[in-house]
Amino acid sequence: MTLTLTVSDEVRALAPGFTHVVVEADGLVNGPSTDGTSVLLDDAARRLADRLGGRPPHEDAHMAAWRQTYTAFGSKPSRTRNSAEALARRALSDAGLPRINVLVDVYNAISVAHLIPVGGEDTDHIRGAMRLVRATGDEDFVTVAGGEETIEHPDAGEVVWRDDTGVTCRRWNWRQGPRTRLTERSTSAVFLLESLAPMPVADVGSAGAELAELLAKFSPGARITVHAPE
């Protein structure tokens, strides 16, 4: 792996059933959303509806596990939902899923179809290794509020992804910072698919393989590596 990712012992102790799959990609071609990615998102919403069978997303066993874990590190899961639950709620609403750009649409479709948190980071803007840790509360999280760049700090004990510069995603997979976000100029990325028990490890592996196939479809010639679940 060209980019080092680690999960701290404190996080492992908090969520012993945590598994993640990393998909690395170089030579990507991004751009505005297309008819193809729109179809993909609509299909993902249909797959989600079939999976839930009329139940709200938070009643799914995997989403319930994420809610329990959020509560364990001090976050209120009904107010700060994990990314998969938040996307699922949008997918089932009248508004539907947002169209962002090709790469974000692709990984959002995988997240919704499999009901699993998926994130994408521009590796050209990551500094040093990425690690999943429990925050001290002193770390910087650069975000945008009211159109202006601002610095927040995570709560002490909050689970965050960070690199050498600061926090890249707060509350595990709740809010990504703009610094490493995938834009239409992004050509290299790392995608993180995250699961908790009771989701079988094979299921998150299948989601990673499907993501890789879609990346290859929308970026022919890209160099894509799917790493084994950890």
Side-chain angles (χ1 to χ4, degrees), residues 6-20 132 172 230:
T6 59
V7 179
S8 73
D9 291 342
E10 289 182 316
V11 172
R12 292 288 188 193
L14 177 75
F18 175 61
T19 300
H20 67 283
L132 187 65
W172 207 314
E230 294 185 23

Side-chain angles (χ1 to χ4, degrees), residues 163-215:
D163 63 4
D164 289 351
T165 297
V167 173
T168 58
C169 194
R170 285 198 60 189
R171 295 193 175 99
W172 207 314
N173 47 41
W174 167 64
R175 179 188 292 170
Q176 183 186 30
R179 173 169 60 90
T180 57
R181 190 174 294 162
L182 294 176
T183 70
E184 294 181 14
R185 297 182 300 278
S186 299
T187 59
S188 298
V190 58
F191 300 90
L192 295 168
L193 300 88
E194 303 178 303
S195 69
L196 295 170
M199 175 171 274
V201 173
D203 287 4
V204 66
S206 295
E210 185 178 346
L211 174 60
E213 291 175 3
L214 289 173
L215 291 172

Side-chain angles (χ1 to χ4, degrees), residues 10-95:
E10 289 182 316
V11 172
R12 292 288 188 193
L14 177 75
F18 175 61
T19 300
H20 67 283
V21 167
V22 177
V23 178
E24 286 189 286
D26 294 297
L28 294 166
V29 179
N30 203 7
S33 300
T34 66
D35 290 344
T37 62
S38 187
V39 168
L40 191 66
L41 289 167
D42 288 341
D43 180 64
R46 286 190 291 269
R47 290 168 65 181
L48 172 69
D50 289 344
R51 179 192 188 100
L52 291 174
R55 294 174 298 145
H58 68 265
E59 289 187 4
D60 176 85
H62 190 215
M63 295 298 93
W66 277 106
R67 283 190 165 221
Q68 291 170 1
T69 301
Y70 268 48
T71 299
F73 66 77
S75 290
K76 295 182 178 180
S78 60
R79 189 170 66 185
T80 56
R81 296 179 176 89
N82 76 79
S83 63
E85 183 182 334
L87 268 180
R89 285 168 58 89
R90 292 199 64 174
L92 298 173
S93 72
D94 291 339

